[in-house]
Amino acid sequence: MTLSWPGRGTASSSAKTPNAEPERFATASGHGELHFGDNLTALASLGKTHRGRASLVYLDPPFLTGRVHQAIGRAKAPDESGPRLLGAARPRRDAFDDRWEDRGAYLDALGSRIEALKPLLADHGSMVVHVDPKTSHYVKVLCDEIFGEDCFASEIVWRYRRWPSKTPNFQRVHDVLLRYRVSAKAPPRFTTLFEPLAASTLATWGTGKQRAVVEGKRRARSSTTEEPSQGVPLGDVWDVGLIAPVARERTGYPSQKPEALLERLIRALTHEGDLVVDPYMGSGTTLAVAARLGRRFLGIDQSEVALETTRARLAAAGHELFAADASERAAS
Amino acid sequence: MTLSWPGRGTASSSAKTPNAEPERFATASGHGELHFGDNLTALASLGKTHRGRASLVYLDPPFLTGRVHQAIGRAKAPDESGPRLLGAARPRRDAFDDRWEDRGAYLDALGSRIEALKPLLADHGSMVVHVDPKTSHYVKVLCDEIFGEDCFASEIVWRYRRWPSKTPNFQRVHDVLLRYRVSAKAPPRFTTLFEPLAASTLATWGTGKQRAVVEGKRRARSSTTEEPSQGVPLGDVWDVGLIAPVARERTGYPSQKPEALLERLIRALTHEGDLVVDPYMGSGTTLAVAARLGRRFLGIDQSEVALETTRARLAAAGHELFAADASERAAS
DNA sequence: TTGGGTCATGAATCCGGCA
DNA sequence: TTGCCGGATTCATGACCCA
């Protein structure tokens, strides 16, 4: 089953930004890389050098909003020098451009990136695309074509709370993450995570593990055991807060995702030492979490603001640039 | 943008079941009707008699599971006579057949029903399709074609809790409800419902409404007002429990949905006296809730088990059959 | 002139981490 | 602890433009 749109597949990809040598950072797990440039160009060459090496590809592409999104400078400089800037006084810079001719052009661009990402994944690996509920459906149909529907693993719903607005509709308070496996046959890499038990369960059963008691052929009743329950296996609806406006984690980069969200994905879908790839790096949340959890990382972005933000973030976490040529680029 | 599949639009609809006179029930809001037969056939004639009359169409079609679903008899007869039946001893009857040649055939069938439903809706009305996260994406693309993307209103996520299973994946714990408006211009019928404030908000702000204080050109701070907050406007992720295995509400009909879920939809999207239509009636949950809330209703199903279940449910709620011909049918 | 569409701006008012 | 601060919001409003 395919999606059709006028001009499908005819879009020419134009790499508008230079593609330099990657910058390499020393981390607990070895090293991670930052690539500057159009991700499609970068992926074309990574397809040769990194085939089958990644356990997780996470991508957070633009959501087809039709706008240019801006990064907002921090209220105070990192070294606490200078005045505290508030409101409109905080400097703004264009971070990424999310304007498209139409949805067809958007899907063409995204689809070709996803196709280029697939070869990077190991047999046990998975890809997670982060989208909103307006685009998710089209992206799912596109990915079903690329990976095969058998490889669709989960629609994860990220539920958050935010300020209310007056609208004659149910407020939108969720994003969607689509997960695909590369292979429907290879045993997947998956570590079950647990959530606290529901309040009603705690009241009825306490914290002991429940066990069904079988009499004859049917389940007679349940009972609790002494063994403490680890909680409920994590479901596909995640309650994770947005990054608070004053949170230390906030970089000012638009569309920044909470570290807690990425931590769940990386813990569940990769082991220590595995490679995590993010072709829409942005503020570098995926990389920062991967580094903290001892995973290797590879990030790509064509926005200079994104590179600067990520470099600063990794440096602040103690990961040092170690390639000479990259150090020079960063210093320039 | 369109979905293409081999043989799209060539499927011939064959009404396999007779289409009798509707059965009419007296309710608080006037009356409601039950139609027995293929819903496509029924909708073809309703399109002439009921054009523009419905405020809400809710449909809970089969989810493309590839199986025949069975109704399970209750453990005890309604009059409490006879033995209490347990486990495999409870009688089973086929309720509906969810086997399809392929997804194309499924979408063809569903799409033609949705097209036939649209004319029943008033300008302020909306349609809600209940699907699962495997089919939702295809159904959304289909509905975008039928209603236009501008009319897409919400992807509602119904989140429930259930017995955990051991699978190397995030447990599926949600269904998806897609809401469309008939007209992007007509003022929609919508009553905002409220949820309790988040625990953190209550702790910080109490139950008073917050208000931003603007000094000069920028927002200086927030403060609480005397006016009590009604809570947060209901979002698009709903935590509603599954029907417990022992709940009074449970009829034994497969795929039965909780009344609490329908109550939210009906309260938000209709007024008293409005007409609610459900072309995949099943156990009659939509009708039961509509009747309880003083809305008129119209249900269609081709399964005799569904009709029996719904009749019994409406009768138990005190709504009486009043059409002579229908009474005869029901008695036979 | 008037009527319609498009675009920038302001208002409404939870949420959560930090000082 | 108490108070702060602004956000991948969303709608109403008003300015502006063109036929």
Side-chain angles (χ1 to χ4, degrees):
Chain A
M1 189 160 298
T2 57
L3 268 177
S4 321
W5 59 82
R8 176 167 190 182
T10 60
S12 64
S13 109
S14 57
K16 294 168 205 131
T17 46
N19 214 20
E21 275 293 296
E23 301 172 21
R24 288 167 203 278
F25 282 76
T27 70
S29 49
H31 75 267
E33 331 180 353
L34 263 56
H35 292 248
F36 177 57
D38 183 291
N39 50 14
L40 191 56
T41 317
L43 290 169
S45 71
L46 288 169
K48 293 166 201 145
T49 55
H50 286 63
R51 177 170 291 266
R53 295 212 191 156
S55 293
L56 171 64
V57 171
Y58 169 84
L59 59 163
D60 183 20
F63 290 180
L64 191 54
T65 54
R67 298 189 305 123
V68 174
H69 294 252
Q70 296 187 311
I72 304 176
R74 305 217 48 153
K76 281 197 79 80
D79 60 0
E80 303 278 320
S81 70
R84 183 151 171 260
L85 302 174
L86 290 173
R90 293 164 65 180
R92 276 145 216 272
R93 293 170 65 189
D94 286 356
F96 62 91
D97 189 347
D98 185 18
R99 293 172 302 180
W100 305 87
E101 204 171 307
D102 54 22
R103 186 165 48 211
Y106 171 83
L107 289 175
D108 260 341
L110 183 57
S112 56
R113 267 113 190 133
I114 292 174
E115 276 171 11
L117 283 165
K118 194 180 164 191
L120 302 189
L121 282 161
D123 279 351
H124 64 254
S126 41
M127 180 197 73
V128 175
V129 199
H130 192 137
V131 279
D132 78 5
K134 277 207 183 104
T135 51
S136 69
H137 307 84
Y138 292 88
V139 174
K140 162 80 161 52
V141 175
L142 192 69
C143 290
D144 275 359
E145 281 184 52
I146 296 171
F147 284 88
E149 325 165 30
D150 290 353
C151 291
F152 175 62
S154 282
E155 176 180 80
I156 298 164
V157 171
W158 171 33
R159 190 251 158 91
Y160 44 83
R161 292 165 183 281
R162 58 170 176 76
W163 71 100
S165 63
K166 225 188 216 168
T167 165
N169 194 1
F170 305 108
Q171 308 254 333
R172 189 169 83 74
V173 291
H174 77 277
D175 279 11
V176 170
L177 288 81
L178 302 171
R179 179 166 87 89
Y180 282 82
R181 307 163 55 175
V182 175
S183 157
K185 290 178 186 172
R189 181 146 304 190
F190 192 85
T191 307
T192 302
L193 306 179
F194 294 88
E195 279 191 300
L197 295 172
S200 66
T201 309
L202 279 172
T204 315
W205 301 99
T207 55
K209 225 179 204 172
Q210 291 173 51
R211 179 173 293 279
V213 175
V214 177
E215 284 170 3
K217 291 203 73 167
R218 58 177 205 81
R219 221 178 66 214
R221 62 203 145 82
S222 300
S223 71
T224 52
T225 62
E226 289 299 309
E227 195 186 349
S229 168
Q230 306 173 79
V232 195
L234 187 60
D236 58 6
V237 179
W238 297 358
D239 231 305
V240 172
L242 287 171
I243 304 174
V246 293
R248 187 187 307 275
E249 183 182 337
R250 181 176 283 273
T251 60
Y253 196 89
S255 83
Q256 187 184 350
K257 298 298 178 295
E259 294 199 4
L261 194 69
L262 272 298
E263 182 159 342
R264 288 188 175 189
L265 288 173
I266 292 174
R267 280 193 192 279
L269 301 173
T270 68
H271 291 170
E272 273 192 43
D274 281 357
L275 176 64
V276 176
V277 174
D278 186 347
Y280 292 90
M281 189 176 71
S283 61
T285 305
T286 310
L287 279 59
V289 176
R292 176 156 58 78
L293 298 177
R295 273 69 170 172
R296 288 176 297 129
F297 59 78
L298 191 161
I300 313 171
D301 212 300
Q302 63 182 330
S303 153
E304 187 57 65
V305 184
L307 265 281
E308 281 172 24
T309 307
T310 304
R311 266 185 219 125
R313 194 166 177 181
L314 291 171
H319 308 297
E320 308 243 342
L321 258 178
F322 73 82
D325 56 347
S327 309
E328 281 163 26
R329 281 202 66 259
S332 71
Chain B
M1 187 157 304
T2 56
L3 269 176
S4 320
W5 59 81
R8 176 168 190 180
T10 60
S12 64
S13 107
S14 57
K16 293 169 205 128
T17 47
N19 213 22
E21 274 294 294
E23 301 172 19
R24 288 166 202 279
F25 283 77
T27 70
S29 49
H31 75 269
E33 334 180 350
L34 263 54
H35 291 248
F36 177 58
D38 183 291
N39 51 13
L40 191 55
T41 316
L43 290 168
S45 71
L46 288 169
K48 292 167 203 146
T49 56
H50 287 63
R51 176 170 293 267
R53 297 213 191 155
S55 293
L56 170 64
V57 171
Y58 169 84
L59 58 164
D60 182 21
F63 289 180
L64 191 55
T65 54
R67 297 189 301 119
V68 174
H69 293 251
Q70 296 186 310
I72 304 177
R74 304 217 49 149
K76 283 196 78 79
D79 60 0
E80 302 278 320
S81 69
R84 182 151 173 261
L85 302 173
L86 289 172
R90 293 164 66 179
R92 276 145 216 271
R93 293 171 66 188
D94 286 356
F96 63 90
D97 187 347
D98 186 17
R99 293 172 303 179
W100 305 86
E101 204 170 308
D102 53 22
R103 184 164 49 210
Y106 171 84
L107 289 175
D108 259 341
L110 182 57
S112 56
R113 266 108 190 138
I114 292 174
E115 277 171 12
L117 284 165
K118 194 180 164 190
L120 302 191
L121 281 161
D123 280 352
H124 65 253
S126 43
M127 181 198 71
V128 175
V129 199
H130 192 136
V131 280
D132 77 5
K134 276 205 182 107
T135 51
S136 70
H137 307 84
Y138 292 89
V139 174
K140 162 80 161 54
V141 176
L142 190 70
C143 291
D144 275 358
E145 280 183 52
I146 297 171
F147 285 88
E149 325 165 29
D150 291 353
C151 292
F152 176 62
S154 282
E155 175 180 80
I156 298 164
V157 172
W158 170 33
R159 190 248 162 96
Y160 44 83
R161 289 165 191 280
R162 59 147 187 229
W163 191 271
S165 68
K166 237 185 216 166
T167 78
N169 194 1
F170 304 109
Q171 306 253 337
R172 187 168 87 75
V173 291
H174 77 277
D175 278 11
V176 170
L177 288 81
L178 302 171
R179 179 166 88 88
Y180 282 82
R181 308 163 54 175
V182 175
S183 155
K185 291 181 184 170
R189 180 145 304 188
F190 193 85
T191 307
T192 302
L193 306 180
F194 293 88
E195 281 189 298
L197 296 172
S200 69
T201 306
L202 281 172
T204 313
W205 301 98
T207 55
K209 234 180 200 171
Q210 292 174 51
R211 177 169 293 276
V213 176
V214 178
E215 284 169 4
K217 290 206 73 165
R218 65 175 199 84
R219 229 170 70 201
R221 60 177 185 280
S222 300
S223 71
T224 53
T225 62
E226 291 296 312
E227 196 185 347
S229 169
Q230 301 174 268
V232 195
L234 186 61
D236 58 6
V237 179
W238 297 358
D239 230 307
V240 172
L242 286 172
I243 304 174
V246 296
R248 187 185 309 275
E249 191 182 315
R250 180 177 282 268
T251 60
Y253 197 88
S255 83
Q256 187 185 349
K257 299 299 179 292
E259 294 199 3
L261 194 70
L262 273 298
E263 182 159 342
R264 288 188 174 189
L265 288 173
I266 290 174
R267 280 193 192 279
L269 301 172
T270 68
H271 291 171
E272 273 192 44
D274 281 356
L275 176 64
V276 177
V277 174
D278 185 346
Y280 292 89
M281 188 175 71
S283 61
T285 305
T286 309
L287 280 58
V289 176
R292 175 156 59 77
L293 298 177
R295 274 68 171 170
R296 287 175 298 130
F297 58 79
L298 191 162
I300 313 171
D301 213 301
Q302 63 182 329
S303 152
E304 186 58 62
V305 183
L307 266 281
E308 281 172 25
T309 307
T310 303
R311 265 184 221 127
R313 195 166 176 180
L314 291 171
H319 308 297
E320 308 244 342
L321 257 178
F322 73 84
D325 55 347
S327 308
E328 280 162 27
R329 279 203 66 260
S332 71

